[in-house]
Amino acid sequence: MAEHRNGNVKNATGKASAATNPYAINLENFTKRLKMLYSHWNEYNGDLWGASDALAIATPPTSEDLRYLKSSALNIWLVGYEFPETIMVFMKKQIHFLCSQKKASLLDVVKNSAKDALGVEVVMHVKAKNDDGAGLMDSILHAVNAQSNSSNDAPIVGQIAREAPEGKLLETWAEKLKNANFKLSDVTNGFSNLFAVKDNTEVTNVKKAAFLTSSVMRSFVVPKLEKIIDEEKKVSHSSLMDDTEKAILEPARIKVKLKAENVDICYPPIFQSGGDFDLKPSASSNDDNLYYDSTSVIICAIGSRYNSYCSNVARTFLIDASVTQSKAYEVLLKAQEAAISSLKSGNKVSAAYQAAVLVVEKDAPEFAANLTKTAGTGIGLEFRESGLSLNAKNDRVLRPGMVFNVSLGFHNLQAETKNPKTQKFSVLLADTVIVGEEVPEVVTVSSSKAVKDVAYSFNEDDEEEDERPKIKAEAKGGRTALSKATLRSDNQEMSKEELRRQHQAELARQKNEETARRLAGGGSAATDNRGAGKTVGDLIAYKNVNDLPPPRDLMIQIDQKNEAILLPIYGTMVPFHVATVKTVSSQQDSNRNCYIRIIFNVPGTAFSPHDASSIKFQGSVYLKEVSFRSKDIRHISEAVQLIKTLRRQVASRESERAERATLVTQEKLQLAGAKFKPIRLSDLWIRPAFGGRGRKLPGSLEAHTNGFRYSTSRPDERVDVMYRNIKHAFLQPAEKEMITVIHFHLHNHIMVGNKKTKDLQFYVEVMDVVQTLGGGKRSAYDPDEIEEENRERDRKNKINMDFQNFVNRVHDLWGQPQFKVLDLEFDQPLRELGFHGVPHKASAFIVPTSSCLVELVETPFVVITLNEIEIVNLERVGLGQKNFDMTIVFKDFKRDVFRIDSIPSTSLDGIKEWLDTTDLKYYESRLNLNWRPILKTITDDPEKFIEDGGWEFLNMEVSDSDSENSESDQGYEPSDVQSDTGSEDEDDVSASLVESEDDEEEDSEEDSEEDKGKTWEELEREASNADREKRDDSDSEEERTRRKMKAFGKARAPPPNKRTPSGSLPKRAKLR
């Protein structure tokens, strides 16, 4: 239907033979089908192949139009891919290919297979870029002459006569054939007969395409039509066509697990209503609005391809149908079922149409003249396979493996109505059917065509006040069916919940078996780097004594060049590297004396870093702290400030060096050549942003040969992202957000400026944040306001379109053979499945995609890969709760769980439905669990965990019945607060030599000095405490007890309801 294209065709032969190169030709498949071609050619040469001595097949260049060609079908059928601008000549002893160097290198692997299978030699003719190929063609024609069986007569060359030559190469070839001393014959029928019977791989592709087609009709088209009718919206046929095409090209939107890169449309979806109907395959959707008044008819037809194999389905929907319309549909349904039933192995092809005609002539002879002239056509690599039309004259014999699009309809029938838009109506039904050994298989059966599912009624019910669309009831027993437009009833709701429970029970069994296998094999023993501390190299200020600066006065000096502090000790300037300084402080007394106190890092103290110098000189004596007194207050203040600044710079540098040391080495970016300009998207901002104090600048994102490059006008602001390092790629257009986003989640960390990150984002703000200075409210009908809104809407649409075009072009680049193994594609968040929650500190809108759960607007970003999730536990679920929490447990038990807090309870059903459809096992609990000891218990004793039923301890029903037993199990004891050991572990992790201190942390450094060294006030406080203890010896036992209780009351832990959003205890307050 409509024009057809032969664009970039996906692999249609199933799995590739080589895992490293997905474009590698399946040699087993090639050998099998090459034998079939030669066997069929030899057997039916006189009948179907025009007694040809050679077969010359020329494939034209690619086209943006939808079209189906026998030459392209042969390419895909034989070698799995389409080879545009390629000439193939098959002879009895040789096969000649005339093509470019790139295609020749890919086809080169078939030489040995062809030789071993049939003794046929494969000859490659590589055409240079600027060559017209005339010389190579002459050599091929000479070989045809030499191998011709007809010694006296001219050789007979078979070709596909209906395909006109396109492009310079094919026009030259056609001219050569015409001028050569050859007889030309048409071999279209030979190829049609050869392609008619599908093998198992082809049948699987057809079934997948049919599943997608029927799923789109059932899960997208029907609900959309019901919503439009229910809400009485005005939507055009062309708009429905566009939306349906998007649903086909993005299978994840309708929860179909097929890769979008393998999917395409057979033709633009067709929507017709309002009396203007065309049942021909070339029909199209016009711009008229969908018409759904009483006695109206809506026809929908959609077709999709999977790995280039087609499927088709068409349905007719009746709105408050008249008697004639109801009869026409029922007769058509019966006739189509009769046609399908006749598609049995051994019958003639004409039997299908004859069976349909018999039904019509018997049940409704007045409709016989309006019946379509055929009952459909064969379908496969071509939407309409020539020679397999289901008409009354086709005498071909049906064989198992043939596939048909059984399409039957009544055209331009008259209805008893005065409305000009419903006086004429048509009805159409189409299904994809596979001929079996005994009975045909309807692979689009999941899209219902029963009368009760397609007939709707708008008649008012006197007993009810609402006027929602109702399903028209069958006139049997006078019973009325439930309203389909309502879509929900108590019985349906219970049945849906019951189905979900059954599926979850099966998932629980599978999950426990999978977990048991993984734990038995040590699958969760991933490396845990939480306790690893950072190290730096030897701290050397000066390599020898001569490098020391010349001494001035005996006063503290700071050598910023060598990162050293020179202290006067016993009349000598002694250098210390600034990294050995732990804290520095100054204080002034009442006599106008100023003191500076420097505390050094020494081995053996709490939180001291174990650097290389400490380990190397373990037996040395270390200086712990030093104090100086001075009358020059200004000099002391300058010295303290310089030491802190220098220390911060060194710490920042060492921190970046330590982070870079852990990076995985990336390949070098290969820039696109001058002939192939890189795909470019300009005026983007990046997150995380580059460091530095200068003004932030926008940059450009370019797609090169093996990766992306983002750069600004500053030479040092540049970051490269290799395609092989991309784990997930996302495109999030601005809908309710202020930004349009391209986001990359990486396998390995990279450095952006001096920041180490796994998430990289490029975005554009779609509208400016402005503030009206007038102060008053502006009218909604203010023309300036309306113009501004229109301008913002246009800007948003343009930005979204620019991003979409960039992504489409990158998709085409990723479709090249070398990137197929990476399985890269841009995923789009499914907003309709999103929910609000608190993944970190602030509330955010979290959205699922086909492979992830993401939040790409607020930082830090959230990207969770679904196939890395073990289970999901929904916590604080119960009656009366306004919100609940979600805990995600990963398959790597060494990895901390991820919590999303404060999700509104209204989102609970949607989340459960989404988890169930993505095959994720979820549990519900009334309390928050302390997951760190739970996971530790599992990893310490996996056998005990498996013996106890695996994850079933989370099942609320089981937990309630066994609550007494579970209380004794400390490993699985629910807790509202995290254990103290967790925070202690985090404190241990935070200890390192290289302290990352930003400008805003400078104050906290001074505030925490009391925790690092004893000040004079602290010493005085210890002395007063000692005096108090002496007085306590004389106190009574009762007085001491009361004092202890009072102290305990001040120091007790915070209550559970003071938890932070992340579910852990609040961070310990810094001492002031």
Side-chain angles (χ1 to χ4, degrees), residues 454-730:
V454 300
Y456 295 82
S457 174
F458 281 92
N459 289 332
E460 294 185 1
D461 192 337
D462 296 335
E463 298 179 1
E464 297 181 4
E465 295 181 356
D466 61 308
E467 296 185 49
R468 289 175 293 184
K470 310 235 174 176
I471 300 177
K472 186 174 179 66
E474 289 270 3
K476 295 180 181 178
R479 291 187 301 115
T480 56
L482 291 171
S483 168
K484 182 172 180 179
T486 315
L487 296 180
R488 287 178 183 266
S489 69
D490 294 337
N491 294 333
Q492 289 172 332
E493 204 61 52
M494 288 176 61
S495 136
K496 190 175 180 182
E497 181 64 28
E498 186 60 31
L499 286 173
R500 197 158 62 198
R501 285 185 180 178
Q502 292 176 4
H503 187 219
Q504 285 293 308
E506 177 63 21
L507 284 178
R509 184 187 63 78
Q510 295 176 3
K511 182 58 64 179
N512 284 329
E513 291 176 359
E514 178 192 331
T515 306
R517 288 194 300 269
R518 197 169 65 251
L519 290 174
S524 67
T527 57
D528 185 9
N529 297 324
R530 282 181 287 189
K534 300 174 185 174
T535 61
V536 294
D538 294 341
L539 303 176
I540 300 174
Y542 303 101
K543 292 183 178 179
N544 55 60
V545 179
N546 298 328
D547 293 338
L548 265 71
R552 294 180 293 176
D553 299 331
L554 287 177
M555 56 192 303
I556 298 173
Q557 298 179 29
I558 291 87
D559 186 353
Q560 297 190 32
K561 181 180 178 181
N562 293 293
E563 300 173 352
I565 306 169
L566 289 92
L567 302 178
I569 299 177
Y570 293 112
T572 304
M573 300 302 291
V574 181
F576 294 87
H577 196 280
V578 73
T580 62
V581 176
K582 189 175 185 180
T583 60
V584 57
S585 61
S586 62
Q587 190 173 9
Q588 189 175 353
D589 63 9
S590 55
N591 297 326
R592 299 183 64 81
N593 291 323
C594 192
Y595 296 88
I596 181 171
R597 183 185 183 201
I598 302 173
I599 301 176
F600 296 96
N601 289 312
V602 295
T605 58
F607 304 116
S608 68
H610 302 288
D611 58 77
S613 301
S614 305
I615 297 170
K616 186 183 294 186
F617 307 110
Q618 292 183 356
S620 303
V621 177
Y622 288 85
L623 181 64
K624 184 176 182 180
E625 66 176 84
V626 61
S627 299
F628 293 91
R629 184 179 65 184
S630 173
K631 294 285 187 182
D632 190 348
I633 299 174
R634 182 178 177 183
H635 172 67
I636 291 296
S637 299
E638 287 181 359
V640 170
Q641 191 62 37
L642 285 173
I643 293 172
K644 286 184 176 180
T645 301
L646 184 59
R647 184 171 169 272
R648 186 158 52 254
Q649 293 173 355
V650 172
S652 175
R653 187 194 67 216
E654 293 297 329
S655 175
E656 182 179 345
R657 181 186 299 171
E659 287 186 341
R660 287 185 183 275
T662 62
L663 294 178
V664 176
T665 304
Q666 302 289 334
E667 59 184 312
K668 189 176 180 181
L669 182 70
Q670 299 175 15
L671 298 178
K675 295 182 180 178
F676 303 98
K677 292 184 179 180
I679 306 169
R680 184 183 180 93
L681 192 60
S682 303
D683 296 327
L684 302 179
W685 301 94
I686 186 174
R687 290 197 291 184
F690 293 107
R693 298 180 179 272
R695 184 172 67 89
K696 301 294 187 293
L697 296 175
S700 298
L701 181 65
E702 296 177 344
H704 290 274
T705 305
N706 63 336
F708 293 100
R709 167 165 288 179
Y710 175 83
S711 58
T712 69
S713 56
R714 295 193 182 106
D716 59 331
E717 292 185 350
R718 189 175 71 187
V719 60
D720 295 340
V721 182
M722 300 298 108
Y723 297 148
R724 293 185 182 278
N725 194 27
I726 296 176
K727 186 175 183 180
H728 299 293
F730 304 99

Side-chain angles (χ1 to χ4, degrees), residues 57-274:
I57 310 300
T59 310
T62 56
S63 171
E64 288 301 317
D65 295 329
L66 276 164
R67 62 181 184 178
Y68 297 98
L69 302 173
K70 276 281 188 295
S71 55
S72 299
L74 175 63
N75 286 177
I76 299 166
W77 181 81
L78 186 61
V79 292
Y81 308 96
E82 183 185 1
F83 287 83
E85 294 189 283
T86 300
I87 298 171
M88 298 186 293
V89 179
F90 297 88
M91 293 180 280
K92 300 300 182 182
K93 296 180 181 179
Q94 286 183 335
I95 302 174
H96 291 258
F97 290 95
L98 194 160
C99 55
S100 66
Q101 177 63 55
K102 188 177 291 185
K103 298 186 185 78
S105 62
L106 183 58
L107 289 166
D108 198 57
V109 296
V110 305
K111 289 183 176 179
N112 293 335
S113 299
K115 192 75 174 176
D116 296 341
L118 296 168
V120 176
E121 179 187 4
V122 176
V123 182
M124 294 291 175
H125 303 270
V126 179
K127 184 183 79 70
K129 187 169 183 181
N130 298 321
D131 185 14
D132 62 356
L136 300 174
M137 294 175 190
D138 290 336
S139 62
I140 295 175
L141 298 178
H142 179 73
V144 172
N145 264 318
Q147 292 194 28
S148 173
N149 291 331
S150 308
S151 55
N152 299 323
D153 299 333
I156 301 174
V157 176
Q159 63 176 354
I160 301 171
R162 296 180 184 177
E163 295 185 8
E166 298 179 24
K168 185 177 179 181
L169 177 69
L170 268 63
E171 289 173 354
T172 305
W173 172 250
E175 191 67 26
K176 289 276 185 183
L177 275 181
K178 184 178 178 181
N179 297 331
N181 187 27
F182 294 157
K183 292 181 181 179
L184 301 179
S185 64
D186 186 11
V187 293
T188 302
N189 290 337
F191 283 117
S192 297
N193 194 271
L194 177 64
F195 297 155
V197 178
K198 277 70 177 173
D199 59 25
N200 292 335
T201 302
E202 293 177 290
V203 168
T204 300
N205 287 328
V206 170
K207 286 183 176 180
K208 288 183 178 181
F211 176 73
L212 174 61
T213 306
S214 54
S215 296
V216 171
M217 181 66 79
R218 183 186 70 250
S219 302
F220 181 81
V221 173
V222 174
K224 191 170 187 67
L225 290 177
E226 288 175 347
K227 186 176 181 182
I228 291 170
I229 297 171
D230 195 21
E231 298 177 1
E232 299 184 6
K233 292 182 176 179
K234 291 185 178 180
V235 180
S236 68
H237 298 137
S238 56
S239 175
L240 284 168
M241 175 192 72
D242 293 337
D243 293 343
T244 306
E245 182 174 335
K246 290 178 183 176
I248 295 173
L249 298 177
E250 300 174 22
R253 292 178 60 181
I254 53 170
K255 302 174 184 176
V256 173
K257 296 180 180 178
L258 294 176
K259 290 185 177 180
E261 63 189 22
N262 296 332
V263 168
D264 203 352
I265 59 171
C266 290
Y267 55 87
I270 298 172
F271 289 85
Q272 301 179 91
S273 66

Side-chain angles (χ1 to χ4, degrees), residues 140 269 383 614 734 813 1037:
I140 295 175
F383 183 74
S614 305
L813 176 64
E1037 184 69 26

Side-chain angles (χ1 to χ4, degrees), residues 988-1000:
D988 292 340
V989 174
S990 64
S992 76
L993 169 66
V994 183
E995 298 172 351
S996 56
E997 297 174 354
D998 298 329
D999 295 339
E1000 62 270 20

